[in-house]
Amino acid sequence: MGIRLKIPKSHVRAESLKKREALIDAEEKGIVAKAGLIAHGRGEAFDYLMGEVTIPPALFATRAAAASLILAEHPIISVNGNTAALVPADAVSLAKLVPADLEVNLFYRNRRREIAVKSALIRAGAKKVLGTGSSASARIPELFSERRRVDPRGIYSADVILVPLEDGDRTMALKKMGKFVITIDLNPLSRTAQTADITIVDNIVRALPNLLRAVEELKRLNEQELKGIIERFDNRRNLSETILFIRDRLTAMAKEE
Ligand code: ATP
């Protein structure tokens, strides 16, 4: 066990430090891989550049994501170690609301981590979790080793997949399989962000609650209205607006000096 920080509530970075502590705890419990801690650091750097708030393009992408999940015939929410550590309850609530199935989807897959992620979801209220043990028997073409294992009842046969914090190779492989891919990724330049159909550039701790609210609101719309929201969304343009937002924010900050 590592030494735990006592974080004063008034600390200017209290929220960010609490998330780090949660991830370190989860790493010790086998939920998060060591590389997951590094990936979180990369995400934090982009979050800092955006002011650690949800920016307008992220909200726009969230509405398109919600409409796509509602219209999907077989939607799946993919859960990795970081997602299970940071927002297990929101992932479970979203799955119930859409409704969609939850699937454990790991870059660094081993039996201990599979069980740890599944248990975190069950503790958060999930009744059914796909993608562990012999259930992960299907293979994503063009990927090798344990990275390609998926559940034939889940990601393999899904039409729409929410894959937060995903790696670029797997996102590209899912696209080649014809899947409609929604991601949450703080880095607008990552291969995942650039390859997905819809990229929500935001911290998952803010993005999932926003997505829950959007699904709740948009569920009242009819099919045509939902299709209209998706058609008006252009991921490339939205990513450009995100990058320009960061540029303008940094320019304004530089001028304040
Ligand atoms: P790619 O392979 O897609 O080019 P990468 O090599 O950075 O990108 P990974 O390290 O596999 O991909 O994925 C981690 C991604 O998740 C990073 O882009 C990081 O910015 C993002 N990320 C990490 N923590 C969070 C978080 N809490 N919320 C949203 N995104 C996050």
Side-chain angles (χ1 to χ4, degrees), residues 104 106 110-120 123 132:
V104 176
L106 302 174
N110 61 43
R111 192 69 189 125
R112 181 177 176 228
R113 182 156 304 119
E114 271 184 5
I115 293 169
V117 171
K118 181 175 180 173
S119 305
R123 275 197 304 279
T132 61

Side-chain angles (χ1 to χ4, degrees), residues 12-32:
V12 67
R13 308 216 47 74
E15 276 314 306
S16 162
L17 292 175
K18 269 196 260 166
K19 297 288 173 283
R20 285 189 183 180
E21 288 293 302
L23 283 164
I24 293 168
D25 263 346
E27 193 276 328
E28 284 168 358
K29 290 182 183 132
I31 299 173
V32 166

Side-chain angles (χ1 to χ4, degrees), residues 78 80 105 107 140-143 147-148 150 155 161-185 187 190-200 235-236 239:
S78 155
N80 69 357
N105 175 25
F107 190 92
I140 302 178
E142 295 178 47
L143 286 182
R147 292 171 62 195
R148 65 181 188 169
V150 286
I155 290 177
I161 315 174
L162 172 64
V163 278
L165 285 54
E166 184 56 288
D167 133 87
D169 292 335
R170 288 205 301 204
T171 308
M172 287 183 213
L174 291 172
K175 280 302 303 162
K176 281 196 185 148
M177 286 171 78
K179 310 294 181 192
F180 189 89
V181 176
I182 304 166
T183 194
I184 300 169
D185 191 331
N187 177 3
S190 78
R191 290 176 306 154
T192 297
Q194 300 279 333
T195 311
D197 295 284
I198 300 176
T199 305
I200 302 170
N235 207 41
R236 204 133 280 288
L239 285 171

Side-chain angles (χ1 to χ4, degrees):
M1 278 282 163
I3 299 164
R4 286 284 162 270
L5 274 179
K6 207 168 159 24
I7 306 163
K9 278 202 185 90
S10 57
H11 192 292
V12 67
R13 308 216 47 74
E15 276 314 306
S16 162
L17 292 175
K18 269 196 260 166
K19 297 288 173 283
R20 285 189 183 180
E21 288 293 302
L23 283 164
I24 293 168
D25 263 346
E27 193 276 328
E28 284 168 358
K29 290 182 183 132
I31 299 173
V32 166
K34 285 200 168 62
L37 300 178
I38 298 170
H40 183 75
R42 168 134 60 198
E44 278 184 336
F46 283 96
D47 209 5
Y48 216 115
L49 295 179
M50 289 188 290
E52 295 172 302
V53 293
T54 299
I55 66 173
L59 276 181
F60 194 49
T62 299
R63 285 176 71 77
S68 309
L69 285 169
I70 296 167
L71 282 182
E73 272 176 27
H74 184 193
I76 293 289
I77 299 169
S78 155
V79 179
N80 69 357
N82 287 38
T83 303
L86 291 172
V87 280
D90 290 327
V92 172
S93 302
L94 183 66
K96 283 185 183 155
L97 186 66
V98 169
D101 280 330
L102 293 159
E103 175 163 345
V104 176
N105 175 25
L106 302 174
F107 190 92
Y108 298 96
R109 187 183 277 273
N110 61 43
R111 192 69 189 125
R112 181 177 176 228
R113 182 156 304 119
E114 271 184 5
I115 293 169
V117 171
K118 181 175 180 173
S119 305
L121 292 172
I122 286 174
R123 275 197 304 279
K127 296 276 177 288
K128 178 174 153 201
V129 179
L130 303 174
T132 61
S134 56
S135 304
S137 58
R139 303 281 181 267
I140 302 178
E142 295 178 47
L143 286 182
F144 301 99
S145 76
E146 296 297 281
R147 292 171 62 195
R148 65 181 188 169
R149 285 177 51 186
V150 286
D151 197 309
R153 297 163 300 165
I155 290 177
Y156 193 78
S157 53
D159 55 349
V160 176
I161 315 174
L162 172 64
V163 278
L165 285 54
E166 184 56 288
D167 133 87
D169 292 335
R170 288 205 301 204
T171 308
M172 287 183 213
L174 291 172
K175 280 302 303 162
K176 281 196 185 148
M177 286 171 78
K179 310 294 181 192
F180 189 89
V181 176
I182 304 166
T183 194
I184 300 169
D185 191 331
L186 276 161
N187 177 3
L189 308 172
S190 78
R191 290 176 306 154
T192 297
Q194 300 279 333
T195 311
D197 295 284
I198 300 176
T199 305
I200 302 170
V201 181
D202 199 7
N203 197 317
I204 192 164
V205 303
R206 296 187 298 268
L208 271 197
N210 285 338
L211 191 50
L212 265 164
R213 276 191 288 275
V215 171
E216 220 156 39
E217 183 200 327
L218 299 185
K219 269 194 142 188
R220 294 185 214 118
L221 301 188
N222 65 36
E223 192 176 327
Q224 271 323 101
E225 290 169 317
L226 290 169
K227 280 187 176 156
I229 291 176
I230 301 166
E231 276 158 20
R232 284 192 292 279
F233 181 78
D234 177 338
N235 207 41
R236 204 133 280 288
R237 196 169 61 214
N238 208 54
L239 285 171
S240 298
E241 278 168 20
T242 304
I243 293 165
L244 293 174
F245 179 97
I246 295 172
R247 182 200 65 179
D248 292 346
R249 180 165 186 272
L250 295 182
T251 305
M253 288 173 86
K255 283 184 182 154
E256 279 167 18
E257 292 302 312

